[in-house]
Amino acid sequence: MIEWRRVAKRASLAVAGALAGWAVLFLVLNTMGPKRCSGGACPSGDGTAFTLGVLFAPLGVVAVSLTVSLARGRWAWGRRRVWGTVGCGLLLGLVPGRLWHDSLYGPRLDAVWAAPPDRPSDVRGVGNWGVGSTLVRARSDGLTAYNTRDGQERWTLAAPPRQSVCALGARTGAGTGLVGFAGYRQPCASVALVDLSTGRTRWRRAVTVEPGAGRIALADGTAAVAEDTAVRGLNAADGRETWRRNLGTGCRAGAVDASAARVLLVEQCEDGHAVRMRITSLDARTGAPRWSAPLPVASRPEELLVLSAEPAVIALRESDARGTAAVLSFDGEGRRRAAVPLSGRRDDLVLSAGTEDFAARPAFTAAVVRDVLVTAVEQPGDTGAHRVAAYSLRDGGALWDRSFEDDVAALTRGPDGNAAVLTRRFSDGTVRRLDPRTGTSVGEPEPIGGEDRLVGHGAAELYDDGHGRVVVNRDGTDDHPPAFGARPR
């Protein structure tokens, strides 16, 4: 016959032990565990877990005290049996308590590797490529590839003697990337096509190209190079010239970019004080123009960025304060569709991290997702962008905006078609996925943990390798790693 009193005594003692164990477990994990909330990168359930930890402490003390008192008095149990049962309850409750604690926290990314600091310390990152499980980081002195799964270095390609990386094609193709090299304060003297799986240079050709972003581009099968008087198409197989588009008298290439099948050229011409600009979409294989359209300018451009080659989307700001300052989009026939102002009475669009950050390939805090421009925005006078907004590239209308307490450090288009935003508070980051059509959150925020001081205060880029996130900082110092990988816990 079951003695229900004895069962009740043991059960109450075991529950008391479990409560006491959960109190210690929650408080330790909240303050010292790998999922702790540090520097503001807090999981969505951090507050609930911490509150429960605080509540369990007095409940555990009261439950153990009351149960022990009853067991020793009215029930007259032996001391060893009492504490043995409490201890068993405590130990048996640790595993479900840990699982409960983890489920309350929600998703989190743990940093699993970090690249070593840059040496020498005055070297800075100038651009990056993310291709599958390979991250290629370009510094002024060459290229280094990392395995995004574990951070192991795969290969290194040094720049030629007394030369530096001066330009990177924004797009990679067929596992290759286009890179330019230049001497000290000189134009880019050569471009090379690099195999991103091995670091081997497939070919190198002499050119004369201004250093900086938007000077070279890679389509499928063709490398486009914007020189002083012409844009050349080079065969990606061997580097030989396959087509040339000569620019008119007084004209120069303002920017060049590429999609798989198109090369987008922004041309600037001057005749005395008159300035004309034109955007042209070329067939990448033959160089034949598909369409061409004039740009609404009358003065030299102060800012020119190609945000997308297909569909064609550019950001243009004239030096004339009353001139064009907008993101312009074009359809497949060259007809202008939308003009999104770069500055308004309420907001300024923050399209890139800055002209000096990632100088060979800029870090955009904007992404074109189908017919939507998703970009960081800030109010005049703000010290950093705390909002993300979206605009239609069909008519320029505002679609939505989201505010964050943290700074927007990086923004990219994810492989799932959503916008991925990296926000930064102090040196901790949180990844948030947003539906580009509505701005609603897709899943829960994913704070990055594992160690402090991960995200630098300069430019940063965010990549998704299909298994987790990779963050690349411009400055790879002892305080912040040049790159690190984070995986879902």
Side-chain angles (χ1 to χ4, degrees):
M1 181 177 182
I2 299 175
E3 298 184 19
W4 292 107
R5 286 190 175 183
R6 181 171 296 180
V7 172
K9 285 189 290 184
R10 290 179 176 175
S12 59
L13 287 170
V15 170
L19 287 174
W22 288 349
V24 175
L25 180 68
F26 272 55
L27 291 175
V28 169
L29 291 176
N30 288 343
T31 57
M32 300 175 61
K35 287 176 172 282
R36 68 187 186 281
C37 176
S38 59
C42 300
S44 56
D46 172 75
T48 302
F50 186 82
T51 300
L52 285 174
V54 172
L55 289 176
F56 283 148
L59 286 176
V61 172
V62 170
V64 170
S65 299
L66 181 61
T67 307
V68 169
S69 176
L70 290 173
R72 294 180 62 189
R74 180 179 175 183
W75 292 343
W77 251 23
R79 182 177 299 179
R80 290 184 178 180
R81 186 174 297 178
V82 169
W83 289 113
T85 306
V86 170
C88 288
L90 188 152
L91 293 175
L92 292 174
L94 290 180
V95 172
R98 176 62 184 267
L99 295 176
W100 185 18
H101 180 273
D102 289 355
S103 68
L104 289 172
Y105 258 66
R108 189 175 179 88
L109 299 170
D110 282 352
V112 295
W113 64 266
D118 285 333
R119 295 289 185 268
S121 59
D122 59 347
V123 172
R124 294 288 182 267
V126 296
N128 312 286
W129 289 314
V131 184
S133 63
T134 299
L135 168 72
V136 180
R137 181 170 181 257
R139 308 190 320 177
S140 55
D141 59 352
L143 309 177
T144 302
Y146 299 94
N147 185 334
T148 61
R149 308 288 179 85
D150 55 17
Q152 292 297 311
E153 186 176 308
R154 284 183 164 167
W155 53 260
T156 297
L157 175 65
R162 301 186 68 85
Q163 291 191 356
S164 301
V165 175
C166 61
L168 289 177
R171 181 181 180 274
T172 61
T176 61
L178 193 64
V179 57
F181 300 102
Y184 178 65
R185 293 187 176 180
Q186 297 293 319
C188 298
S190 66
V191 295
L193 191 73
V194 179
D195 187 317
L196 302 183
S197 62
T198 64
R200 182 176 63 87
T201 298
R202 294 194 176 180
W203 52 259
R204 181 174 294 166
R205 293 292 178 268
V207 297
T208 303
V209 175
E210 293 182 14
R215 313 308 304 170
I216 60 177
L218 183 63
D220 284 356
T222 302
V225 178
E227 298 187 303
D228 290 339
T229 60
V231 176
R232 292 197 289 157
L234 308 179
N235 190 316
D238 54 17
R240 61 183 175 83
E241 182 178 310
T242 56
W243 56 262
R244 172 188 290 263
R245 179 181 176 83
N246 292 319
L247 306 179
T249 303
C251 298
R252 57 182 293 270
V256 66
D257 204 343
S259 64
R262 299 284 184 268
V263 172
L264 192 70
L265 167 66
V266 181
E267 190 176 353
Q268 175 185 335
C269 301
E270 297 186 29
D271 183 7
H273 296 291
V275 176
R276 295 177 290 107
M277 295 186 69
R278 178 171 293 275
I279 183 171
T280 303
S281 179
L282 308 173
D283 183 284
R285 186 176 59 85
T286 64
R290 294 300 183 182
W291 56 260
S292 187
L295 295 175
V297 301
S299 63
R300 293 180 178 180
E302 182 179 289
E303 180 182 5
L304 175 60
L305 298 171
V306 178
L307 302 179
S308 171
E310 194 176 11
V313 182
I314 66 169
L316 176 63
R317 186 191 301 273
E318 284 188 70
S319 54
D320 179 3
R322 299 292 296 164
T324 298
V327 173
L328 307 175
S329 67
F330 300 82
D331 67 13
E333 301 298 324
R335 293 183 293 263
R336 185 151 56 91
R337 298 191 299 170
V340 181
L342 294 178
S343 299
R345 294 187 176 182
R346 293 182 58 248
D347 303 314
D348 293 333
L349 306 191
V350 184
L351 302 176
S352 64
T355 56
E356 296 183 358
D357 291 330
F358 293 122
R361 182 178 180 273
F364 286 122
T365 44
V368 173
V369 187
R370 294 187 288 275
D371 276 332
V372 177
L373 170 69
V374 184
T375 180
V377 296
E378 64 182 11
Q379 293 182 334
D382 284 353
T383 56
H386 298 274
R387 293 168 50 220
V388 171
Y391 302 87
S392 169
L393 292 175
R394 293 179 180 273
D395 56 20
L399 300 178
W400 54 264
D401 79 35
R402 289 280 306 272
S403 296
F404 304 104
E405 294 182 2
D406 308 343
D407 294 334
V408 177
L411 191 154
T412 189
R413 175 182 177 174
D416 57 359
N418 295 308
V421 182
L422 172 67
T423 59
R424 169 180 54 213
R425 180 179 295 186
F426 302 110
S427 296
D428 288 325
T430 300
V431 177
R432 309 167 193 271
R433 289 183 298 151
L434 305 178
D435 186 318
R437 297 163 299 179
T438 63
T440 56
S441 295
V442 179
E444 296 186 55
E446 300 173 322
I448 301 172
E451 60 179 272
D452 295 330
R453 302 185 303 178
L454 289 170
V455 184
H457 295 290
E461 285 199 290
L462 175 68
Y463 294 95
D464 188 325
D465 68 351
H467 297 272
R469 309 287 183 174
V470 179
V471 177
V472 190
N473 295 315
R474 173 179 178 265
D475 297 333
T477 65
D478 292 328
D479 292 333
H480 307 288
F484 68 88
R487 296 282 180 269
R489 184 175 177 83

